[in-house]
Each structure stands twice: as C-alpha cells, then as structure tokens.
Amino acid sequence: MKKPFKICSLIDLVKSVLELLGGIALILVGAIQLSSAATQQERLPAAGLVLLGAVLVVISLCAFYWLSAFKKEFAKGGKEGYDFKLVLKYSILALIFAQMPTAVVTLIDRKQNRDWLEIRNPKRNTANDLFDEERPVYEEGYQSESKTIIRMVSSKKNDKAYRTRGIEDIGSKNNWKGWLYLAPVIILVAIFLIYPLINTIFISFTENYKYASGEFDGLTLTNFTYILGLTDKANGAHESYFVSYAIPNTFLLVIVTVPVSTIIALLIAVALNSIKWFQKILQTIFFLPYVTNAIAVGMVFSVIFDRQGVINFIFGTDTTWIYGANQYVAMVPLVMYIVWSSIPFKILIFLSGLQGIDKQYYQAAQIDAAPRWKVLAKVTVPLLSPQILYILITSFIGAWKEYTSVVGLFNGPGTRGRAGEPNMETIVFYIYENLNQNTSAAAAAAVFLFIIILAFTGLQFLASKKRVHY
Amino acid sequence: MEIRIKDLTKIFPGDPKKNIRDTIAVKDMNFIVPDGKLVGLLGPSGCGKSTTLYMISGLQVPSSGEVWFGDQEVTNLAPEKRGIGLVFQNYALYPHMSIYKNIEFPLTNLKVEVPLVTFFRFTLNYEYDLAADDVPALIVRSVESLCKKIGLTKKQYAVSQTVEGNKLKLTVVLDNVAPSVRDVFKENFPRIIPANLASENEEQTSEALFDSTVRATVNKVDEHQVLRVAFKGKLGLKFETSHIDEVINAFTNAAKPFGKVETAAIARTSQGYELMATVGGIKHVDLDASLEAAKACYAFAGGMEYVILAVTNKELEKAVKDHLKASKVSFSDFKLYFDRKNVKVYFKLKRANQDMAKRLIEELSQKLSLTDLETDVVQAIAHRKLTKEERRDIVYDTAKLVQVDEFLERKPNQLSGGQQQRVAIARALVKKPRVLLLDEPLSNLDARLRLQTREEIRRIQQETGITTVFVTHDQEEAMSISDEIVVMKLGVMQQMDAPQEVYNNPANLFVAQFLGTPPINVFNGRVDGKNVYIGEDIVYQTEEDLGQKDIFVAVRPEGFVIAKDDDKNVLHAELEQVQILGRDVSLVAKNEACTKPTFKVIVAAEEAEDAKPHLALKIKPNKIFLFDGETQERIRVK
C-alpha cells in the first residue's frame, strides 16, 4: 500500500518541479522577446510565450499544493491511521495538476506552433522572395500563404553549398524548444528506463549489495561467476540451479515455442485468409486466448493435464504431467500452453499482412501451375517476411523472458510448487526469486539475459537482411 | 491455336439483401481468334473486355457459353491446364525475386514428358590431342554441363578422363537414356571439344514400356459365383391393385430359399402392371431355379424374366487382382460391371513391356474366357522436371527475345515501367504458351514508351507466332498492332473486323464514334426518298429509295472537301476557328444539326486557304455513314 503511493507522489513532484522551471523559463524568454519586439506581429507570439509560462507556473504551484497536502495527510496516517478518502482525493488532484501542463503544452503546440514559434520575419521569409525579388511581396490571394516558411534540410550550418540567402534556418535555431517539449518524455525515460538499466548493470558488479539500504562492499566480478556456478560465495553458498535449470529451460522454451507457434499461426492465418465463410467468426475464436488471463488459464491447463485430467482420460494414459512430474515431461504442457497463448496475436499480425498482398500474385502463380506449398513458400512467406521478422523478434524476446506461464501452470519454480527443486525455473524466474535476498546475483542474471537477448536480436537482424523483402 | 468463343456470357451475381442487382458483364460473345493472330478487345471501361479475357484465361468462370482452344473445349479447365500466358495490368512480378527468378518461376513447375522407349547404356570413348593450355578437368566439367543441358540427371551420366602422354581419353557413360538423347549428345559434343570418337558401345538397360487399356466380356461364370439379380415380370391388364400385397408376399416367399430379397414392388406401366424386384446373394447354380420359383409365385406373372444387375463375387475380382499383382505390373481402374446381358471387365495396365502385357492379357482371357477383347496400347510416359541448365537456357533465350537480358540480376522495382512490362511478357512466354493474353499491357506506360512498347509486342508476337488476345481502351493502340479488333460496348460485341475495315465500315453509330481521332462528326439528319438531308441541305443522294425517316449522318473529319462555287449537295456551316496542325488544318465549324456545338473538318493546308467564314462543304461519298435514328444501326447505301 505504501510503495505505490510513494512512487506516484515522487513522479508528480519531479514533474511539477520541472514544469515550474519550464514555466519560469518560458516567461523569461517571452519577456526578452517582448522587450526587443518592434512590430505588432512580433509582439503577439512573445506575449503568447509569457502567457503560457504563467499558466504553467500556476498549474505547477497548484500541483505542489495538493502534493504537500497529500503528503501531510499521508504522513499523519502513518501514526494515527489516515483518512483514506482524503488521501485519495489529494493524490488524484495532485496527479491531475501534475499532468495538466503536459497536456496544455501539447495542445497549444499542436494548434499554435506555426504562429508563435516559426514566424520570425515574415517579410523576408516568404516563398515569393526566394524566386522573385522584384515582385510585390504580398499579392492578393497570396496573403494567407505569406507565413509559409521553408525549412532547410541541412544539419551542417556552415556548409556554404547549402546556404541560400533570405532563408532563415529555423530548424536549427529553435532546437532548444524541441528539447523543451521532449523534456517530460526524456526525463521519464531517463528515470524509468535508462537509470534502472545502468543501476542494474552497476549492482551486478557490486559485492553484497543490500536491497534496503543500498550499501555494498566494493566492486567485483564474482556475481557472474557465482550464478554460473564457477565460484562460491564467501559464506560457502553455491549456486547450481541457474546453470542446471534456468538456462536450459529458457533455451528450450525459446527454440521450441517460437518456431512452433509461428509456423502454426502462419498456417492458420493462410487458411483463414483463403476461406470466405465463417472467416470473421473463426478469427474471433482464434483471437480468444489473447484476451484471457495468463495465470487463470495456466491453472485451467494444470487441471486439464492433471493425473485425473482430460488429457490422460482421452489418450488413456497415466502420465504425471504437472505435480511431481519429470522436468522434460512437464515441458510438454508448458510448451503447449505457451504456444496456445501466443498464437492469437501472431495470427492477427499475419492476417493483416496477408490481406495486404496483391491477389494478382496468386493468380499469376495459379496460371504458372505452382502447387500450393510452393505458392506458400515462394510467394506468401517472402511477401509476408516483414511481419514474420517482427513476430520472430518480439516473440523471441518474449520467450527469453518467459515467467508467468510457469507460475500459472506450476504455481512455483518447479513441478512440486515451492517445495522441491526449482526444475521448471527460467532465467526471469531466477531473477525474481533472488531479488530480495541476493540482489547482486539477480542483477548479474538480468545483465546476462540482457546480453543474450541483445546478441540474439542483433543476429536476427543480420540474418534478416537477406531474407526480408520490404 | 485458334480460340473460339461461343455464346460466352458472364453475370456477376448481385446481393438481393443489399438491393444490388445482378450485373451482366459479358453477353453472348461469339468470335474466333484465328491461329497465330493478334486480336485486340477494344471498348470503353466497363464494357466487359477484361472479363472476357479472364474468362479465356480461366480465372473467371463463365455463367454460360464455351471457350475452345483449337479442338479442345477448355471452358471448365483450370487456368494452369490451359497452356496460357497472361500478362497482368500491373504485371504482378514477384517483388522479392530477381528478374531471372521471376522468368524462371513458371519453368520450375513445368514437367516434360519422357516416353518410356527402350533405354540403353551408351559408352562413348573419345580421344583428343591436348593442346598446351588445355586443362583436362575443365574439359570434363564442360562435358558434364552439356549432359545437364540436354536434360540428364546426375545418375544418368558419368564422365571420366585419363591422360596418356599427349592424348586425353574421355569416357562418357550415358546410362538409361534413349538413342535420341545419345544423338543429341553426339551432335553437340564437337561444339565443346573437337575430339574423335574412338569407340562406342551400347547395351540395353530397359525395355520400352506401354500402357494398355483392356475392355472385354467375361464369359466364364463360376459355379459358385454369387449374383445380385433384378427380376421383372409382367402382371397383365387384368391385375387388380387389391392383390398387390399378395403378389409381393408370394414373390418374397418364392425367392427366399435362393437369396435375400432386397426390394420388391409393383409398378404401373402403360401396358398394365409390372413386378420389379432385386434379390441379392443368389448362387449361380440356383439362377434358373430361382426364376422358375419366381414365375410360379403368381399365376398372372406371364412373362417373368430376370436381369443380372451386378456380379458381386469378390472372389473373382480378387483372383484377377492377385494375378496382376503377382506379375508386378501396376494396374488401375479395375472394374467388373454388367452391361445388358454380359459381365464385362475393364482395367488398365501401366508401364508394362509389350511381351508382359500381351502375356498377362492372354492369361487373363483364358482364365475368365474373355471375348470381345479390346486392347488399346500406347507408349507409357514418365514426367520429369526441367534441369537447372535447361531452365537457364530457356530463360536466357526468352530474356533476349524481349531484350531484358541485361537486367536479370535486378529486382523488379529497379526496372522502369517498360522494362517491367517486357519482363512480364517474358514470364508469360517462357513456358511456350498456346495462347498469350495481355490485360491492358500498356496502360502503365508514358506516351512515348507506349508507342515503342506496342511495336515491341507486335514484334514478339510475330516472331513467336503465338495466338494473342489483348485488351485495351486505347483505339489507336488497338488499330495499330492488331490483326483484328473486337469492339465491345456494355458487354455486347459490336463488331469484329480488321482495323481498317472497322474504321471504314462501322457497323453502328457506337463503333463509328469510338474509333478515330478527332472523333467522327454526327449530325441529326433525315432521308426523304433518295435525298439525305442535314438541316435543309441535301448532302448526299443514294441510289435506292429509303423512304422517309430521321437518321444520324456521320462524317469523318477528313471526309469534307471545301466546295467550289458550282458544286451541288453541299453542307453549309459557319467557320469558328482555324487550328493549324502542320501538314493539315483543322477547321472548327458550326452547324445547327450537329449533335455537338461544333464539328471538325480536316483539310490539307493549301486547301484551307479557300476557307471563308460561311463554309460550303462537300462530303466524300466513302466517308459518310448513315445510321438509323432509333436503332443506331448502319443503313448501308450505295
């Protein structure tokens, strides 16, 4: 209960501070422009800037107020039990006010950006000027176009060959404004993507990193050797599950589920695309697994594959699939479940790709008496290759990070749940398991996974250069 | 290959729910494309010309009517079996394949027939004096590639070499090939290396194989054979319907000892009543007894007769099959059936050599005492794919024909529109189609390229001599390259003729208006006896009396001559504008009776100097056409 609120308020706080600063900066810039402006036309956009800055400042001050109120109420609650309604109200108000400036800026930007950002010197910067010096600048009917500006597509400011007189390269001059608009996103990305990434890499090199306090005893490489089972910790702890279970399990899932589900999805999509009746209904049916919940359906699968379950009943077998099963036997329901749940999205993508392929290619192939498999292999698949590449890359990455299906099916890292060996563990599962107690090792495993995925995806892109036809 | 179109009709079904009516795209088309000719289907958009083309190709199925290629009806034949080449409007070249692969693609699906004649193993020994810079290994490799080129698979050839001093001894073994293949090899060998044939040896590896179809009557009937018999008995006119159950029961009882009564019923015919029944499982020995029993079953059954419907003796069938199987000859379509009064047998023997087939048939005919033996023996045929080398040769030849051999490595989007178009033609031509179909082949090209490419199409068509049908909406294009053109309007064929003939002798007003630039000038006119009027001017006098009616008078722009003062039968018009075209001058003139505000007169430049504001125009008799005012059909006059 505590944590999410804290994080929420922190983000809002950071945002409002930034917006306050941004508002003040805008007011300053507007004021400077206003003081140097000579004509009515120049004054207008500058005034707009000042106004916008003022609005930002007011909004962010509001956000500050609600945030502090929220914090006060929240802090009070810690000791005496807080009024939940009040906390919620404050937090929502704070949230709204903290988000508002972004929305305001975006809206104004979309509507007005031409008027108050790009027009500097309309007299010189008209398209007319460029081609005809003698011509009267504003002709009847051309008035509305007079604010047109030509952006030079040149990153080299001083490259003389690109220089043209009479044109102001606004693109380069207004750069800082672009950065200003991007700032909220960049800051968010920095906080939630780049910082965690760098921090993870950092933690993976620290010794005895303490999750709660953030303290550690110097830098080391032993975390990596530890998870790979090469060295033991100082306290004698030995790690063998990562190499014996997490890596092979993950690798097996990657090389089995992705090709199998992609091929099945492709075949289903091609079949769906070639029928006329019930296409929409079947499409809906095939899409159903996508809207189901992974954990819930995982439990259903574990019931189906139970010893007294449907599968054993149909095939007349007496195999232990889930609880207490052998590692590789338990892989069967796991793989089937992952394939089942990953097919619908692929079908959707493939179908949309298939519908974009010109029917004439198929008519041409028909006239050339190409058999069906050949049409599929030589025409459909190459023309669908961009979609196939997309699906392969995303689902390979997804398969490397497989986790929820194991939880859903086995309710733990192994076929005996929490008890027994974690024989169904995947890399991500290992990371979760070790996050609290053994943060450095978890971080090392995360970095290990990151490098594998990066290399794998890079390889795929390399391989795709020849095979993908855009 | 001549293409004949008979009563071809295509109706696209509408949707009654959405209140969309059926669309008649093509109606009762009838025409013949002569062998080796280029025929253009011409018409405005929506006239059904493309639909007609797609029906010829088989990609559209006609609602009714027939399409014939030569003597073969192909109406219900799948497109890939018709032997056609089709060039699509936007070419449909596979974007991911190189030009070479694009052209090669149809060939990869093509199969060549190999008649299974007697095959031999030929051993050819060649001797050759090595020159200083000869490399024996390379010579071997080129001989091997020759083998591949003439369609031999890797198993079928072996080339080995030995060098003795200055002499290279080449041994070529051609295994399992027909003598004709050896001849081709020997003919082409000197092109690679001028070696002398030292010795040649042949040994037979397989016999010629034949497919035989056998149709015969089985006379020998096994005593233990079980039959299914249909009984038929006349009950006469006196029979009363109240006795039906009685008769049927009696028959059932009578037949029961012999077999299982499957059906028994009484039918009314014009000659009274008839008992009809089938009884299964009657043993052959009991056949006559069962008939007697059936006859006796009822007194009225005057003429009871029986018909054997089918022989169901599985034993017999099995015996024949086992006999065929034991000889290891594959057979198919084995059937025992009953034809009126006889049991007949029908089967096909596949890939048997002549002696074997003869012996088998003889054995069987003794076993079953076959008579009326009809055998049909044809050479057995195997199929093989084209080898890579064969395909390459064909691709290069075709690419050269359409002049795209420089671009074979490129992808289609790296070519210009005209080059893509030629690649598309090459892809259609590469499998040597019987018929080439082009769907608006020039519509994606710019004006200059269009001129050039249409001549190209004409050249390719004349070089290959393939019957070609092409679709266009551009009359100039159709007229310039076609041997004949078919003019269509709203799914109905208007006229089919040579281009000049269509221009000179249009069948109706639509054809006259559709062809020619600038378009023909149409006037509202009338005839009164022998005089043809436009407004109040008599412009033409016919030889026969046409009576009195309103007509359309159409005159080609070049059909006018500026009249001299004493000329009769002139058309008066006001000159509006003079357009200089260079060699000719186009006079834009005005006349009340014209269906358009102005009309055009094209005269030679020097003649135009005489043009006055009030024009008097004389009309050349062969450029004036009269059309009925209501039907718009041509009124042919002299």
PDB file of all heavy atoms in Angstrom, chain A residues 110-133:
ATOM      1  N   ARG A 110       0.164  21.914 -30.777  1.00  0.00           N
ATOM      2  CA  ARG A 110      -0.453  21.382 -31.978  1.00  0.00           C
ATOM      3  C   ARG A 110      -1.188  22.475 -32.731  1.00  0.00           C
ATOM      4  O   ARG A 110      -1.163  22.579 -33.925  1.00  0.00           O
ATOM      5  CB  ARG A 110      -1.433  20.276 -31.568  1.00  0.00           C
ATOM      6  CG  ARG A 110      -1.740  19.350 -32.718  1.00  0.00           C
ATOM      7  CD  ARG A 110      -2.499  18.159 -32.238  1.00  0.00           C
ATOM      8  NE  ARG A 110      -1.663  17.196 -31.525  1.00  0.00           N
ATOM      9  CZ  ARG A 110      -2.149  16.150 -30.863  1.00  0.00           C
ATOM     10  NH1 ARG A 110      -3.436  15.941 -30.828  1.00  0.00           N
ATOM     11  NH2 ARG A 110      -1.342  15.315 -30.262  1.00  0.00           N
ATOM     12  N   LYS A 111      -1.833  23.343 -31.978  1.00  0.00           N
ATOM     13  CA  LYS A 111      -2.679  24.341 -32.624  1.00  0.00           C
ATOM     14  C   LYS A 111      -1.887  25.537 -33.104  1.00  0.00           C
ATOM     15  O   LYS A 111      -2.108  26.063 -34.182  1.00  0.00           O
ATOM     16  CB  LYS A 111      -3.747  24.794 -31.628  1.00  0.00           C
ATOM     17  CG  LYS A 111      -5.091  24.931 -32.289  1.00  0.00           C
ATOM     18  CD  LYS A 111      -6.118  25.341 -31.270  1.00  0.00           C
ATOM     19  CE  LYS A 111      -7.357  25.820 -31.978  1.00  0.00           C
ATOM     20  NZ  LYS A 111      -8.299  26.402 -31.040  1.00  0.00           N
ATOM     21  N   GLN A 112      -0.972  25.986 -32.256  1.00  0.00           N
ATOM     22  CA  GLN A 112      -0.425  27.309 -32.477  1.00  0.00           C
ATOM     23  C   GLN A 112       1.013  27.303 -32.965  1.00  0.00           C
ATOM     24  O   GLN A 112       1.539  28.366 -33.247  1.00  0.00           O
ATOM     25  CB  GLN A 112      -0.478  28.076 -31.157  1.00  0.00           C
ATOM     26  CG  GLN A 112      -1.860  28.175 -30.575  1.00  0.00           C
ATOM     27  CD  GLN A 112      -2.477  29.508 -30.887  1.00  0.00           C
ATOM     28  OE1 GLN A 112      -1.818  30.516 -30.768  1.00  0.00           O
ATOM     29  NE2 GLN A 112      -3.715  29.512 -31.318  1.00  0.00           N
ATOM     30  N   ASN A 113       1.617  26.162 -33.039  1.00  0.00           N
ATOM     31  CA  ASN A 113       3.071  26.217 -33.127  1.00  0.00           C
ATOM     32  C   ASN A 113       3.552  27.017 -34.319  1.00  0.00           C
ATOM     33  O   ASN A 113       4.560  27.692 -34.239  1.00  0.00           O
ATOM     34  CB  ASN A 113       3.678  24.813 -33.020  1.00  0.00           C
ATOM     35  CG  ASN A 113       3.907  24.142 -34.350  1.00  0.00           C
ATOM     36  OD1 ASN A 113       3.944  24.784 -35.385  1.00  0.00           O
ATOM     37  ND2 ASN A 113       4.037  22.850 -34.319  1.00  0.00           N
ATOM     38  N   ARG A 114       2.766  26.998 -35.385  1.00  0.00           N
ATOM     39  CA  ARG A 114       3.148  27.806 -36.534  1.00  0.00           C
ATOM     40  C   ARG A 114       3.237  29.266 -36.156  1.00  0.00           C
ATOM     41  O   ARG A 114       4.191  29.954 -36.474  1.00  0.00           O
ATOM     42  CB  ARG A 114       2.064  27.682 -37.592  1.00  0.00           C
ATOM     43  CG  ARG A 114       2.330  26.571 -38.552  1.00  0.00           C
ATOM     44  CD  ARG A 114       1.452  26.767 -39.698  1.00  0.00           C
ATOM     45  NE  ARG A 114       1.936  25.985 -40.794  1.00  0.00           N
ATOM     46  CZ  ARG A 114       1.479  26.113 -42.001  1.00  0.00           C
ATOM     47  NH1 ARG A 114       0.562  27.005 -42.269  1.00  0.00           N
ATOM     48  NH2 ARG A 114       1.952  25.372 -42.958  1.00  0.00           N
ATOM     49  N   ASP A 115       2.160  29.739 -35.488  1.00  0.00           N
ATOM     50  CA  ASP A 115       2.040  31.162 -35.271  1.00  0.00           C
ATOM     51  C   ASP A 115       3.094  31.709 -34.321  1.00  0.00           C
ATOM     52  O   ASP A 115       3.730  32.695 -34.605  1.00  0.00           O
ATOM     53  CB  ASP A 115       0.646  31.495 -34.731  1.00  0.00           C
ATOM     54  CG  ASP A 115      -0.390  31.179 -35.780  1.00  0.00           C
ATOM     55  OD1 ASP A 115       0.031  31.028 -36.943  1.00  0.00           O
ATOM     56  OD2 ASP A 115      -1.566  31.075 -35.447  1.00  0.00           O
ATOM     57  N   TRP A 116       3.243  31.038 -33.205  1.00  0.00           N
ATOM     58  CA  TRP A 116       4.123  31.705 -32.250  1.00  0.00           C
ATOM     59  C   TRP A 116       5.517  31.108 -32.151  1.00  0.00           C
ATOM     60  O   TRP A 116       6.294  31.476 -31.325  1.00  0.00           O
ATOM     61  CB  TRP A 116       3.480  31.870 -30.888  1.00  0.00           C
ATOM     62  CG  TRP A 116       3.006  30.642 -30.195  1.00  0.00           C
ATOM     63  CD1 TRP A 116       1.772  30.120 -30.282  1.00  0.00           C
ATOM     64  CD2 TRP A 116       3.736  29.821 -29.315  1.00  0.00           C
ATOM     65  NE1 TRP A 116       1.667  29.015 -29.529  1.00  0.00           N
ATOM     66  CE2 TRP A 116       2.880  28.805 -28.916  1.00  0.00           C
ATOM     67  CE3 TRP A 116       5.050  29.839 -28.819  1.00  0.00           C
ATOM     68  CZ2 TRP A 116       3.268  27.802 -28.040  1.00  0.00           C
ATOM     69  CZ3 TRP A 116       5.430  28.839 -27.956  1.00  0.00           C
ATOM     70  CH2 TRP A 116       4.545  27.837 -27.575  1.00  0.00           C
ATOM     71  N   LEU A 117       5.811  30.203 -32.992  1.00  0.00           N
ATOM     72  CA  LEU A 117       7.179  29.709 -32.959  1.00  0.00           C
ATOM     73  C   LEU A 117       7.964  29.958 -34.224  1.00  0.00           C
ATOM     74  O   LEU A 117       9.119  30.310 -34.188  1.00  0.00           O
ATOM     75  CB  LEU A 117       7.191  28.216 -32.652  1.00  0.00           C
ATOM     76  CG  LEU A 117       6.992  27.879 -31.193  1.00  0.00           C
ATOM     77  CD1 LEU A 117       7.025  26.390 -31.019  1.00  0.00           C
ATOM     78  CD2 LEU A 117       8.073  28.534 -30.344  1.00  0.00           C
ATOM     79  N   GLU A 118       7.305  29.836 -35.328  1.00  0.00           N
ATOM     80  CA  GLU A 118       8.085  29.800 -36.565  1.00  0.00           C
ATOM     81  C   GLU A 118       8.173  31.147 -37.271  1.00  0.00           C
ATOM     82  O   GLU A 118       9.056  31.361 -38.084  1.00  0.00           O
ATOM     83  CB  GLU A 118       7.487  28.768 -37.519  1.00  0.00           C
ATOM     84  CG  GLU A 118       7.600  27.380 -36.925  1.00  0.00           C
ATOM     85  CD  GLU A 118       7.494  26.313 -37.964  1.00  0.00           C
ATOM     86  OE1 GLU A 118       7.193  26.656 -39.110  1.00  0.00           O
ATOM     87  OE2 GLU A 118       7.727  25.150 -37.601  1.00  0.00           O
ATOM     88  N   ILE A 119       7.240  32.022 -36.971  1.00  0.00           N
ATOM     89  CA  ILE A 119       7.267  33.264 -37.720  1.00  0.00           C
ATOM     90  C   ILE A 119       8.264  34.225 -37.089  1.00  0.00           C
ATOM     91  O   ILE A 119       8.121  34.632 -35.958  1.00  0.00           O
ATOM     92  CB  ILE A 119       5.884  33.923 -37.729  1.00  0.00           C
ATOM     93  CG1 ILE A 119       4.909  32.931 -38.286  1.00  0.00           C
ATOM     94  CG2 ILE A 119       5.896  35.175 -38.543  1.00  0.00           C
ATOM     95  CD1 ILE A 119       3.707  32.821 -37.461  1.00  0.00           C
ATOM     96  N   ARG A 120       9.243  34.535 -37.821  1.00  0.00           N
ATOM     97  CA  ARG A 120      10.253  35.449 -37.314  1.00  0.00           C
ATOM     98  C   ARG A 120      10.200  36.731 -38.110  1.00  0.00           C
ATOM     99  O   ARG A 120      10.033  37.813 -37.597  1.00  0.00           O
ATOM    100  CB  ARG A 120      11.655  34.860 -37.469  1.00  0.00           C
ATOM    101  CG  ARG A 120      11.721  33.443 -37.027  1.00  0.00           C
ATOM    102  CD  ARG A 120      11.588  33.438 -35.583  1.00  0.00           C
ATOM    103  NE  ARG A 120      12.889  33.589 -34.981  1.00  0.00           N
ATOM    104  CZ  ARG A 120      13.100  33.303 -33.714  1.00  0.00           C
ATOM    105  NH1 ARG A 120      12.091  32.904 -32.983  1.00  0.00           N
ATOM    106  NH2 ARG A 120      14.293  33.431 -33.204  1.00  0.00           N
ATOM    107  N   ASN A 121      10.348  36.560 -39.369  1.00  0.00           N
ATOM    108  CA  ASN A 121      10.467  37.738 -40.212  1.00  0.00           C
ATOM    109  C   ASN A 121       9.673  37.480 -41.475  1.00  0.00           C
ATOM    110  O   ASN A 121      10.225  37.153 -42.509  1.00  0.00           O
ATOM    111  CB  ASN A 121      11.944  37.959 -40.530  1.00  0.00           C
ATOM    112  CG  ASN A 121      12.157  39.314 -41.115  1.00  0.00           C
ATOM    113  OD1 ASN A 121      11.176  40.010 -41.440  1.00  0.00           O
ATOM    114  ND2 ASN A 121      13.391  39.700 -41.282  1.00  0.00           N
ATOM    115  N   PRO A 122       8.387  37.617 -41.370  1.00  0.00           N
ATOM    116  CA  PRO A 122       7.547  37.201 -42.480  1.00  0.00           C
ATOM    117  C   PRO A 122       7.853  37.917 -43.774  1.00  0.00           C
ATOM    118  O   PRO A 122       7.645  37.384 -44.854  1.00  0.00           O
ATOM    119  CB  PRO A 122       6.136  37.517 -42.010  1.00  0.00           C
ATOM    120  CG  PRO A 122       6.242  38.075 -40.672  1.00  0.00           C
ATOM    121  CD  PRO A 122       7.655  38.178 -40.268  1.00  0.00           C
ATOM    122  N   LYS A 123       8.366  39.123 -43.670  1.00  0.00           N
ATOM    123  CA  LYS A 123       8.627  39.865 -44.901  1.00  0.00           C
ATOM    124  C   LYS A 123       9.663  39.182 -45.769  1.00  0.00           C
ATOM    125  O   LYS A 123       9.572  39.160 -46.976  1.00  0.00           O
ATOM    126  CB  LYS A 123       9.113  41.277 -44.553  1.00  0.00           C
ATOM    127  CG  LYS A 123       8.005  42.287 -44.688  1.00  0.00           C
ATOM    128  CD  LYS A 123       8.582  43.659 -44.576  1.00  0.00           C
ATOM    129  CE  LYS A 123       7.447  44.658 -44.504  1.00  0.00           C
ATOM    130  NZ  LYS A 123       7.923  45.983 -44.155  1.00  0.00           N
ATOM    131  N   ARG A 124      10.667  38.667 -45.133  1.00  0.00           N
ATOM    132  CA  ARG A 124      11.745  38.077 -45.927  1.00  0.00           C
ATOM    133  C   ARG A 124      11.536  36.583 -46.160  1.00  0.00           C
ATOM    134  O   ARG A 124      12.026  36.041 -47.129  1.00  0.00           O
ATOM    135  CB  ARG A 124      13.081  38.304 -45.211  1.00  0.00           C
ATOM    136  CG  ARG A 124      13.478  39.758 -45.214  1.00  0.00           C
ATOM    137  CD  ARG A 124      14.938  39.893 -44.921  1.00  0.00           C
ATOM    138  NE  ARG A 124      15.750  39.165 -45.869  1.00  0.00           N
ATOM    139  CZ  ARG A 124      16.036  39.605 -47.087  1.00  0.00           C
ATOM    140  NH1 ARG A 124      15.576  40.767 -47.491  1.00  0.00           N
ATOM    141  NH2 ARG A 124      16.788  38.893 -47.888  1.00  0.00           N
ATOM    142  N   ASN A 125      10.835  35.982 -45.260  1.00  0.00           N
ATOM    143  CA  ASN A 125      10.799  34.525 -45.318  1.00  0.00           C
ATOM    144  C   ASN A 125       9.641  33.967 -46.124  1.00  0.00           C
ATOM    145  O   ASN A 125       9.131  32.899 -45.857  1.00  0.00           O
ATOM    146  CB  ASN A 125      10.722  33.954 -43.914  1.00  0.00           C
ATOM    147  CG  ASN A 125      12.058  34.096 -43.224  1.00  0.00           C
ATOM    148  OD1 ASN A 125      13.059  34.225 -43.912  1.00  0.00           O
ATOM    149  ND2 ASN A 125      12.058  34.109 -41.925  1.00  0.00           N
ATOM    150  N   THR A 126       9.183  34.684 -47.068  1.00  0.00           N
ATOM    151  CA  THR A 126       8.106  34.137 -47.875  1.00  0.00           C
ATOM    152  C   THR A 126       8.662  33.397 -49.060  1.00  0.00           C
ATOM    153  O   THR A 126       9.778  33.656 -49.503  1.00  0.00           O
ATOM    154  CB  THR A 126       7.198  35.248 -48.392  1.00  0.00           C
ATOM    155  OG1 THR A 126       8.037  36.221 -48.969  1.00  0.00           O
ATOM    156  CG2 THR A 126       6.388  35.840 -47.286  1.00  0.00           C
ATOM    157  N   ALA A 127       7.872  32.508 -49.537  1.00  0.00           N
ATOM    158  CA  ALA A 127       8.296  31.747 -50.710  1.00  0.00           C
ATOM    159  C   ALA A 127       8.491  32.672 -51.895  1.00  0.00           C
ATOM    160  O   ALA A 127       9.344  32.439 -52.752  1.00  0.00           O
ATOM    161  CB  ALA A 127       7.256  30.695 -51.043  1.00  0.00           C
ATOM    162  N   ASN A 128       7.735  33.751 -51.931  1.00  0.00           N
ATOM    163  CA  ASN A 128       7.846  34.691 -53.040  1.00  0.00           C
ATOM    164  C   ASN A 128       9.258  35.231 -53.168  1.00  0.00           C
ATOM    165  O   ASN A 128       9.824  35.304 -54.244  1.00  0.00           O
ATOM    166  CB  ASN A 128       6.916  35.881 -52.794  1.00  0.00           C
ATOM    167  CG  ASN A 128       5.500  35.514 -53.126  1.00  0.00           C
ATOM    168  OD1 ASN A 128       5.229  34.342 -53.344  1.00  0.00           O
ATOM    169  ND2 ASN A 128       4.628  36.493 -53.171  1.00  0.00           N
ATOM    170  N   ASP A 129       9.796  35.633 -52.026  1.00  0.00           N
ATOM    171  CA  ASP A 129      11.097  36.277 -52.013  1.00  0.00           C
ATOM    172  C   ASP A 129      12.168  35.452 -52.685  1.00  0.00           C
ATOM    173  O   ASP A 129      13.060  35.974 -53.331  1.00  0.00           O
ATOM    174  CB  ASP A 129      11.537  36.507 -50.562  1.00  0.00           C
ATOM    175  CG  ASP A 129      10.869  37.750 -50.039  1.00  0.00           C
ATOM    176  OD1 ASP A 129      10.095  38.329 -50.818  1.00  0.00           O
ATOM    177  OD2 ASP A 129      11.128  38.115 -48.895  1.00  0.00           O
ATOM    178  N   LEU A 130      12.037  34.176 -52.486  1.00  0.00           N
ATOM    179  CA  LEU A 130      13.087  33.291 -52.959  1.00  0.00           C
ATOM    180  C   LEU A 130      13.262  33.369 -54.454  1.00  0.00           C
ATOM    181  O   LEU A 130      14.361  33.336 -54.972  1.00  0.00           O
ATOM    182  CB  LEU A 130      12.740  31.850 -52.589  1.00  0.00           C
ATOM    183  CG  LEU A 130      12.864  31.529 -51.134  1.00  0.00           C
ATOM    184  CD1 LEU A 130      12.433  30.110 -50.915  1.00  0.00           C
ATOM    185  CD2 LEU A 130      14.289  31.724 -50.704  1.00  0.00           C
ATOM    186  N   PHE A 131      12.178  33.434 -55.113  1.00  0.00           N
ATOM    187  CA  PHE A 131      12.253  33.270 -56.565  1.00  0.00           C
ATOM    188  C   PHE A 131      12.162  34.591 -57.313  1.00  0.00           C
ATOM    189  O   PHE A 131      12.602  34.706 -58.427  1.00  0.00           O
ATOM    190  CB  PHE A 131      11.129  32.346 -57.016  1.00  0.00           C
ATOM    191  CG  PHE A 131      11.113  31.079 -56.237  1.00  0.00           C
ATOM    192  CD1 PHE A 131      10.106  30.793 -55.351  1.00  0.00           C
ATOM    193  CD2 PHE A 131      12.178  30.197 -56.350  1.00  0.00           C
ATOM    194  CE1 PHE A 131      10.126  29.636 -54.625  1.00  0.00           C
ATOM    195  CE2 PHE A 131      12.206  29.033 -55.625  1.00  0.00           C
ATOM    196  CZ  PHE A 131      11.172  28.746 -54.763  1.00  0.00           C
ATOM    197  N   ASP A 132      11.575  35.595 -56.696  1.00  0.00           N
ATOM    198  CA  ASP A 132      11.357  36.815 -57.427  1.00  0.00           C
ATOM    199  C   ASP A 132      11.536  38.002 -56.492  1.00  0.00           C
ATOM    200  O   ASP A 132      10.680  38.305 -55.675  1.00  0.00           O
ATOM    201  CB  ASP A 132       9.944  36.788 -58.022  1.00  0.00           C
ATOM    202  CG  ASP A 132       9.772  37.838 -59.081  1.00  0.00           C
ATOM    203  OD1 ASP A 132      10.687  38.690 -59.219  1.00  0.00           O
ATOM    204  OD2 ASP A 132       8.750  37.816 -59.746  1.00  0.00           O
ATOM    205  N   GLU A 133      12.653  38.687 -56.588  1.00  0.00           N
ATOM    206  CA  GLU A 133      12.930  39.804 -55.701  1.00  0.00           C
ATOM    207  C   GLU A 133      12.046  40.997 -56.025  1.00  0.00           C
ATOM    208  O   GLU A 133      11.621  41.730 -55.143  1.00  0.00           O
ATOM    209  CB  GLU A 133      14.393  40.215 -55.823  1.00  0.00           C
ATOM    210  CG  GLU A 133      15.377  39.195 -55.301  1.00  0.00           C
ATOM    211  CD  GLU A 133      15.631  39.365 -53.807  1.00  0.00           C
ATOM    212  OE1 GLU A 133      15.328  40.450 -53.279  1.00  0.00           O
ATOM    213  OE2 GLU A 133      16.120  38.425 -53.182  1.00  0.00           O
TER     214      GLU A 133
END
